């Protein structure tokens, strides 16, 4: 579906050198000849069985997490990402009893989901136990009370196998909070995976995934939106910002099988959630769905 060779992220240049150093410096993700960096110091730099995991402390955004050298999250800008992924879906699905999160090991997506009191059960399937452990230790505000919420059922395992083995019509909402399409997350971007997600979604359900940058991962983004539309029937990307990601300009794609219901948040859920959001509101969401750049619109209609 995509030309990985052209869009693949490079390894980060962790210019701090040794993880034990306490000297401040620049920690950069390099992508397509541009670097995206924070000034700070490295707290942890290790290899799990799945990937390189780096935890840093930055002066601007607090503690942050990189996987295989790519920025994932940071304490003081994570709400851009997590609110954008979660609330368009959870405010508009027909029901919210059973929610599935694939990935999301830092806990931010689970935290935002569990703010919705209608959620009875949240299954989170994260492949890398060390991402969860290091996030709980160094970035505890990401997961917050989600880690001890009895509605959260954390599974350490392969999300691709999980969706392949799940029964038809199991989930009201499925959220994919993975990393970029290389390494352990690569299988979260293909047709077989999206088809299983459609199969296990209940009628009236919503599927949502981070769908990369329309600038820095342009072809991956276009291919994803096309494919998700084809598989689900209805799908639209929403455009926002995650300042430390490549280009800072990011997208999330929402899908449903019966209509573009993800564009219509339910007023009672909005009332409960919006007052404590930093980024998300129905007004912001409406603008963000409309903010499709002309070059992407041309690609998607062709
Ligand atoms: N290029 C970064 C894409 C990362 C998407 N996932 C971020 C994890 C935040 N919970």
């Amino acid at each position: 579906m995509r030309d990985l060779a052209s869009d693949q992220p490079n390894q980060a240049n962790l210019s701090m050198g040794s993880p034990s150093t306490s000297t401040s410096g620049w920690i950069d993700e390099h992508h397509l000849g541009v670097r995206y960096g924070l000034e700070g110091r490295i707290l942890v730099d290790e290899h799990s069985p799945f990937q390189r995991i780096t935890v840093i402390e930055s002066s601007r955004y607090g503690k942050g997490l990189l996987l295989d050298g790519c920025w994932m999250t940071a304490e003081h800008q994570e709400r851009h990402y997590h609110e954008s992924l979660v609330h368009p879906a959870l405010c508009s699905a027909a029901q919210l009893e059973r929610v599935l999160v694939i990935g999301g090991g830092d806990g931010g997506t689970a935290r935002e989901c569990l703010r919705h009191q209608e959620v009875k059960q949240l299954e989170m399937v994260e492949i890398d136990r060390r991402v969860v452990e290091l996030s709980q230790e160094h970035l505890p505000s990401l997961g917050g009370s989600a880690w001890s919420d009895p509605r959260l059922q954390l599974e350490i395992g392969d999300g691709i196998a999980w969706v392949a083995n799940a029964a038809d019509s199991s989930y009201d909402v499925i959220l994919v909070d993975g990393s970029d399409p290389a390494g352990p997350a690569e299988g979260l971007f293909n047709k077989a995976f999206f088809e299983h997600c459609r199969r296990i979604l209940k009628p009236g359900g919503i599927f949502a995934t981070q769908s990369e940058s329309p600038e820095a991962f342009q072809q991956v983004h276009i291919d994803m939106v096309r494919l998700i539309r084809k598989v689900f029937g209805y799908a639209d990307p929403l455009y926002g910002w995650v300042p430390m990601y490549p280009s800072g300009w990011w997208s999330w794609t929402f899908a449903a099988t019966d209509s573009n219901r993800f564009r219509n948040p339910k007023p009672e859920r909005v009332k409960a959630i919006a007052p404590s959001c930093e980024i998300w509101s129905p007004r912001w969401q409406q603008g963000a769905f409309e903010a499709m750049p002309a070059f992407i619109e041309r690609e998607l209609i062709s």
Side-chain angles (χ1 to χ4, degrees):
M1 68 168 270
R2 63 188 181 279
D3 176 4
L4 277 177
S6 66
D7 269 354
Q8 203 157 20
N10 296 328
Q11 289 291 298
N13 171 19
L14 301 175
S15 49
M16 292 298 301
S18 157
S20 60
T21 182
S22 59
T23 318
S24 285
W26 286 95
I27 299 137
D28 297 328
E29 174 180 345
H30 287 201
H31 180 70
L32 303 180
V34 187
R35 61 189 195 192
Y36 302 92
L38 294 182
E39 191 176 44
R41 66 192 181 102
I42 292 173
L43 303 177
V44 178
D45 195 21
E46 66 174 53
H47 285 86
S48 75
F50 300 99
Q51 57 208 337
R52 180 183 183 186
I53 308 174
T54 312
V55 179
I56 62 110
E57 176 150 41
S58 69
S59 42
R60 175 79 171 104
Y61 293 126
K63 289 183 188 165
L65 174 72
L66 300 96
L67 297 179
D68 282 339
C70 300
W71 291 112
M72 292 296 125
T73 197
E75 288 172 314
H76 305 317
Q77 66 163 250
E78 52 92 10
R79 294 182 71 176
H80 291 256
Y81 178 94
H82 294 117
E83 291 182 10
S84 304
L85 174 65
V86 171
H87 300 309
L90 270 79
C91 284
S92 59
Q95 296 190 70
L96 288 185
E97 284 196 7
R98 197 171 170 201
V99 174
L100 174 65
V101 174
I102 301 296
D106 55 64
T109 294
R111 181 203 67 218
E112 287 302 311
C113 287
L114 292 170
R115 291 177 56 205
H116 290 265
Q117 295 308 312
E118 287 172 69
V119 174
K120 299 250 184 323
Q121 187 181 355
L122 172 62
E123 288 151 72
M124 183 171 118
V125 186
E126 164 60 52
I127 198 165
D128 196 337
R129 182 184 300 279
R130 285 301 286 156
V131 171
V132 174
E133 290 170 349
L134 289 167
S135 299
Q136 289 175 334
E137 182 181 348
H138 294 280
L139 299 113
S141 64
L142 268 285
S145 59
W147 294 125
S148 56
D149 192 310
R151 296 174 293 166
L152 177 68
Q153 181 188 328
L154 172 63
E155 302 284 341
I156 301 297
D158 180 358
I160 298 160
W162 187 276
V163 303
N165 294 325
D168 293 1
S169 305
S170 299
Y171 295 101
D172 296 297
V173 175
I174 301 171
L175 303 175
V176 183
D177 181 13
S179 47
D180 301 302
E186 190 166 352
L188 304 177
F189 292 78
N190 65 41
K191 190 168 177 220
F193 174 74
F194 296 138
E195 284 175 341
H196 277 301
C197 289
R198 180 194 158 127
R199 179 184 61 74
I200 67 174
L201 196 62
K202 288 185 195 170
I206 307 256
F207 168 85
T209 180
Q210 75 90 1
S211 49
E212 303 289 333
S213 166
E215 197 275 343
F217 290 85
Q218 188 178 325
Q219 199 55 49
V220 174
H221 170 67
I222 290 166
D223 290 346
M224 280 184 86
V225 178
R226 279 198 185 124
L227 185 54
I228 294 169
R229 269 191 185 159
K230 199 167 162 194
V231 169
F232 286 84
Y234 297 85
D236 286 324
L238 167 149
Y239 296 93
W241 299 267
V242 185
M244 66 192 185
Y245 284 1
S247 84
W249 191 13
W250 213 252
S251 77
W252 299 263
T253 293
F254 297 82
T257 57
D258 58 346
S259 65
N260 61 359
R261 59 170 55 245
F262 40 80
R263 285 184 174 244
N264 296 306
K266 293 181 183 296
E268 65 281 8
R269 294 187 194 154
V270 170
K271 202 171 157 198
I273 294 297
S276 50
C277 282
E278 185 175 311
I279 304 294
W280 184 86
S281 71
R283 176 187 178 136
W284 177 85
Q285 170 178 317
Q286 191 179 353
F289 273 123
E290 291 303 320
M292 181 181 286
F295 65 89
I296 298 289
E297 190 176 355
R298 280 194 290 273
E299 289 287 340
L300 290 177
I301 56 176
S302 65

